[in-house]
Amino acid sequence: MSCLKCLKYTMCVANFLFFVCGAVILGFGIFMMTQTKFSSLLPSLPFMSITNILIIAGIVITCVSFLGFLGAYKENRCLLITFFILLFVVMLVELAGACILLVYEKKMYIGEKITNDLNKSLEEARQSHKSSVNGTVRVVRDDWDLFQKTFKCCGVKSWKDWKGETPSSCCEQTSSCNATGPYWEKGCHTMMETWFEDNLLNTGIGVIVICSIEVLGMCFSMTLFCHISRSGLGYKI
């Protein structure tokens, strides 16, 4: 009985911590909605938006962890089995996403899709030099400036993509930069591919760690569920 009590409160503490983390991630995602972000650079691939990923992850973590906390604290079989099912579904989605990335990472379709989006958004950003500039164009230009400063790149393939309207965010040294540079040599598409390849292993390790935690949570919830069933506590609320 003492071990089961320990299991119950361990689930409560762990799910409470995950709930707090999920709330922080959700709040940060909402905050980023009001800030400059990279979503305008890839309009046809909204799932790659950092803001969307943070908001979705925050909602899932808070909802699932809340069910786990309440189910363990109240010793409610309905909540515990719901927690188990949701964890299982989330784990399947994560594994499916990881497999898709591994299978299709080298497919030309994804590369061409990203290239087309970058070319289109860069053309919109170039419009900011013209007399009529709306809010959308300004956001795209701000996103490109932040993108180029972050990845230390210029244009899609090179600085020549800006066609004589190269922004200062392309400059290696802003103080000594002029109409001909020196600009970052590599294009942003190349730097994106390099970044994804460099972080592919870390992403895989992260998925494995998360899935391990989810399996542990499912084992704990099922153990507590079976104990409640044997004790005849029913659907206590």
Side-chain angles (χ1 to χ4, degrees), residues 6-52:
C6 179
L7 177 62
K8 169 184 173 178
Y9 290 114
T10 300
M11 278 194 64
C12 289
V13 172
N15 280 288
F16 176 76
L17 293 176
F18 280 118
F19 179 84
V20 173
C21 292
V24 171
I25 293 173
L26 177 60
F28 186 66
I30 295 174
F31 170 76
M32 286 190 65
M33 288 182 66
T34 62
Q35 307 299 316
T36 302
K37 51 190 181 298
F38 298 152
S39 58
S40 64
L41 304 184
L42 302 172
S44 64
L45 297 173
F47 63 89
M48 295 187 67
S49 168
I50 297 177
T51 303
N52 293 341

Side-chain angles (χ1 to χ4, degrees), residues 91-103 207:
M91 185 179 67
L92 289 181
V93 171
E94 291 170 352
L95 292 176
C99 291
I100 291 174
L101 286 177
L102 289 174
V103 172
V207 171

